[in-house]
Amino acid sequence: MNEFEIIRRFFSHTYRDDAVRLGIGDDAAVIAPSPGQELVIAVDTMNKGRHFFADVPPVTLGHKILAVNLSDMAAMGATPRWALLAGSLEDSDADWLAAFCAGFYTLAEKYRIALVGGDTTRGATSFTLTIIGETPAGKAITRGGARVDDDIWVSGQLGDAALALAAIKKQVSLSPENIALLRQRLEIPEPRVALGLGLRDIATAALDISDGLSGDLRHILESSQVGARIELDAIPRSPILNAAFKENKTLALHCLLAGGDDYELCFTAPVSARAHIDAISQSLELPLTRIGQITADKSFHIIDENGRPLHRLPDAFDHFAHTTHA
Ligand code: ADP
Ligand code: MG
């Protein structure tokens, strides 16, 4: 297959969207944004050896490159609508591409995302997806709005994706069933798009946890010029991660606080919103947990089970400091 056959066979069928005046096949796409809406735009890249193992099932890769970008839309309270996909491929393996597309288009259909363009080149395997969403004017949830005494919330459970990576690297021993469960959290994350939309008029600040809670929460604190106090015991975790605390506490703590790739949302909201947020949790069947408070004192403390602040908080994931998936 040459470049144009690849595009025609794999990247030309897409969710139909009337706002797309001109989609794949021209020099650029033409989109008519909805009246009264602002565009919310993000991009994320996944490189082989850095973000995924060479032998990862391509169906999960197609899912994940879209999921991580949908997660950014969720964190902004935006409705994701259009995507552009730039792929660098080592060869034109039709079976591999078909599986990649199955993962990609299944998620794209679910969220009604129209693929409107992209680029296809040869090189080390890498995917870059640009996502474009909409919010009503002025309604995007930023990192900068947290206020003193706001509650700090997180969705779902944290640390499983990092624990999966640790298990794959044999840093911790788990049963094959548990490794399979955790791998799903690492490879097939579910973006919290509905939650983000539900939080639009409630959350004062939000972000998605892609690099670990302790590092990511700092971004909210810096942008909002506030501090935080959170309770270690309150941070929601799976029974598998809880059990890992007994075997290797340092590693488990690292997964919980600094493990990336969970794609849960961390957000702040006034105390008066508690009942409303609990109702959202019920209707989405998604656990939402209060883990602490925003403080006027600009420091950041995580309080352990003995009521004492943790001394050294694990670092957030930093691409220029660590290697992964190698
Ligand atoms: P150009 O040379 O003008 O950049 P290309 O030949 O690269 O155009 O691409 C032709 C059309 O196919 C364009 O509309 C482009 O957006 C689209 N396209 C190319 N690669 C992809 C891809 N991986 N996914 C989606 N659309 C793609
Ligand atoms: Mg091009």
Side-chain angles (χ1 to χ4, degrees), residues 40-46 65 68-70 72-73 84-86 127-132:
V40 182
I41 305 168
V43 63
D44 256 312
T45 292
M46 288 174 49
I65 187 61
V68 300
N69 279 278
L70 293 176
D72 283 323
M73 294 289 104
L84 296 108
L85 177 66
F127 292 95
T128 297
L129 190 109
T130 301
I131 188 101
I132 306 170

Side-chain angles (χ1 to χ4, degrees), residues 1 9-10 58-59 92-102:
M1 283 181 297
R9 252 182 89 176
F10 296 105
V59 62
S92 57
D93 178 339
D95 290 342
W96 196 97
L97 278 166
F100 176 92
C101 285

Side-chain angles (χ1 to χ4, degrees), residues 3 27 118-121:
E3 177 191 334
D27 292 306
D119 200 20
T120 305
T121 55

Side-chain angles (χ1 to χ4, degrees), residues 100-141:
F100 176 92
C101 285
F104 182 87
Y105 285 114
T106 301
L107 191 62
E109 286 286 328
K110 180 171 175 185
Y111 288 98
R112 305 172 171 201
I113 308 301
L115 184 66
V116 299
D119 200 20
T120 305
T121 55
R122 187 184 285 264
T125 311
S126 171
F127 292 95
T128 297
L129 190 109
T130 301
I131 188 101
I132 306 170
E134 294 182 319
T135 55
K139 291 290 188 186
I141 310 168

